[in-house]
Amino acid sequence: MNLAAKLSGWVPWRRRSKLGRWSPTERVAFVLLVLISIFMMLPIVYIFNHAFKPYQELFVYPPNILVRDPSIQSFIELLASTKTTAVPVTRYMFNSFVVTGLSVTLITLFSAMCAYAISKHQFPGHKVVFGTILLTLVFVPETVAIPKYLVVSQLGIFNTYWGHVLPLVAVPTGVFLMKQFIDQVPGELLDSAKMDGAKEWTLFVRIIIPVVLPAIATIGIIAFQSAWQNTETSISYMQDEEMRTFPFYVETLTSGMANSVARQGALAAATLLLFLPNLIIFLAFQSKVIATMAHSGIK
C-alpha cells in the first residue's frame, strides 16, 4: 500500500466549502454585497490617496482616485502653513487631543452615572427626568446656542479647555443607551451586594460598569466624533487663537486666499489627519457598537 492510499484512509470524508453549500441566490447576494462594499470604500481610498498627491495630480480632470506619484509635499506644506503665525499647527492638534480626551471621559462617565440613578434609584419624578432628557433629542443644536453661550459666559470659562468641554458633556443618546443596558441588571444582585457591605460607588464600578461596556464603547465613539470634529466652541467661546482646535484651523486653511489653488495640498493632508482618528476608533470598537444596537432594540 502506497503513501497516498494510507493518507486517504486517514481522511474518511472531506468537508465541502461554505461557498459550495450556498444556493445560487446566496452567491449572487454575496457578489452584490462585495461590490457594494468596494463602492462604499472608494471615498476612504480617495481621502488617503488625495493626501499624497503632488500638485500636478490634485487638479487633474477627471480626478484620479489612486495616486500615481506619491509625495509627502502636502504634509510638509501643512506644517509650514503656520510658520508666519504665532500659533503652530501642532498647537491646534494638541488642543484637539486634550479637548477630545476630556470630552469622551466626562460624557461616558456622566451618561453612565445619570442612567444608573434613573434606572436603579427610582426617585420621585425619575420618569419625568428621563422623558425630559429624551425630549431634548428633538431640538437642533442651533436652538440651544444662545443658552449655552450665556452659561459659558456666567461660568467665566471663555478661552479655557472647559469652555470646549462643558458644552459637549450633555448627551441624551448616551443616557438612553446606558439605561437600556443597566435595566438588564437584576435588582436582587445589587441588593445582595449591599447586604455584603458594598457602597454605591462599589456597585457602580464593580457591577454596573462591566455590564455597560458595549454602551460605553458606543458612546465613546459618538463623543469622540462630536468632540474631534467640533468647531462651534472654537468659534463661539475662544478669542485666543492658541486655544482653538485643529478642525477650526482646517476650515481656515483656504479662507481668504486670492485663488482656489493655494494650500489645497495642505488641506488634503489636514483632511486625512482629521479623518484618520475617527476611522481607527470605529474599527477598534465596531463590534461593541453592534452589541449595543442589539441590546438597546435599535435596528
Side-chain angles (χ1 to χ4, degrees):
M1 183 180 295
N2 55 22
L3 181 61
K6 291 181 179 180
L7 292 177
S8 63
W10 293 346
V11 186
W13 56 274
R14 295 181 180 178
R15 293 183 178 179
R16 296 177 60 189
S17 65
K18 290 184 178 181
L19 188 60
R21 297 196 298 268
W22 287 357
S23 66
T25 303
E26 292 174 330
R27 295 180 185 179
V28 171
F30 175 78
V31 172
L32 289 177
L33 289 175
V34 170
L35 294 176
I36 293 173
S37 300
I38 295 174
F39 178 76
M40 295 181 68
M41 287 182 63
L42 288 179
I44 300 177
V45 175
Y46 180 80
I47 290 175
F48 275 89
N49 283 267
H50 195 63
F52 291 95
K53 289 180 180 178
Y55 260 88
Q56 59 268 25
E57 292 187 37
L58 286 174
F59 302 98
V60 172
Y61 185 83
N64 297 321
I65 294 179
L66 300 178
V67 58
R68 297 178 181 177
D69 186 17
S71 172
I72 61 171
Q73 185 61 38
S74 297
F75 295 92
I76 297 175
E77 181 184 358
L78 176 62
L79 293 175
S81 61
T82 55
K83 279 188 175 181
T84 58
T85 62
V87 183
V89 65
T90 52
R91 174 67 185 190
Y92 294 107
M93 298 187 70
F94 174 78
N95 291 340
S96 288
F97 282 115
V98 172
V99 170
T100 303
L102 287 174
S103 298
V104 171
T105 302
L106 293 180
I107 288 172
T108 53
L109 178 62
F110 289 169
S111 296
M113 294 174 67
C114 180
Y116 173 60
I118 294 174
S119 176
K120 297 305 179 183
H121 295 274
Q122 299 182 354
F123 51 88
H126 71 279
K127 292 184 178 180
V128 176
V129 173
F130 185 60
T132 304
I133 292 174
L134 295 182
L135 183 62
T136 60
L137 292 172
V138 305
F139 294 101
V140 295
E142 289 76 12
T143 59
V144 295
I146 294 178
K148 284 198 297 185
Y149 182 88
L150 294 175
V151 171
V152 172
S153 176
Q154 292 295 323
L155 292 176
I157 54 176
F158 283 119
N159 297 316
T160 65
Y161 287 123
W162 293 116
H164 282 291
V165 174
L166 291 184
L168 305 177
V169 167
V171 180
T173 307
V175 178
F176 171 73
L177 292 178
M178 295 286 190
K179 184 179 180 300
Q180 297 300 105
F181 272 78
I182 296 175
D183 285 344
Q184 301 174 32
V185 179
E188 294 79 5
L189 177 62
L190 299 179
D191 292 337
S192 62
K194 289 179 182 179
M195 293 178 63
D196 292 335
K199 304 298 183 182
E200 286 294 336
W201 184 251
T202 304
L203 296 176
F204 180 73
V205 173
R206 297 291 184 88
I207 299 178
I208 299 300
I209 292 298
V211 172
V212 300
L213 280 179
I216 288 176
T218 303
I219 300 307
I221 292 175
I222 296 174
F224 183 90
Q225 291 178 342
S226 63
W228 179 253
Q229 299 176 348
N230 180 65
T231 59
E232 177 191 356
T233 55
S234 293
I235 296 172
S236 302
Y237 315 132
M238 303 296 142
Q239 286 79 40
D240 293 342
E241 191 68 24
E242 64 179 9
M243 289 304 300
R244 286 172 170 163
T245 56
F246 186 62
F248 172 83
Y249 175 70
V250 172
E251 287 192 355
T252 62
L253 262 176
T254 56
S255 62
M257 295 289 102
N259 57 70
S260 59
V261 177
R263 290 188 178 177
Q264 288 298 322
L267 180 61
T271 302
L272 175 61
L273 294 177
L274 198 60
F275 167 75
L276 195 57
N278 281 324
L279 179 63
I280 295 174
I281 292 296
F282 179 78
L283 292 179
F285 298 103
Q286 56 89 20
S287 61
K288 299 294 185 181
V289 176
I290 296 174
T292 303
M293 297 302 105
H295 282 82
S296 63
I298 299 177
K299 305 296 182 183

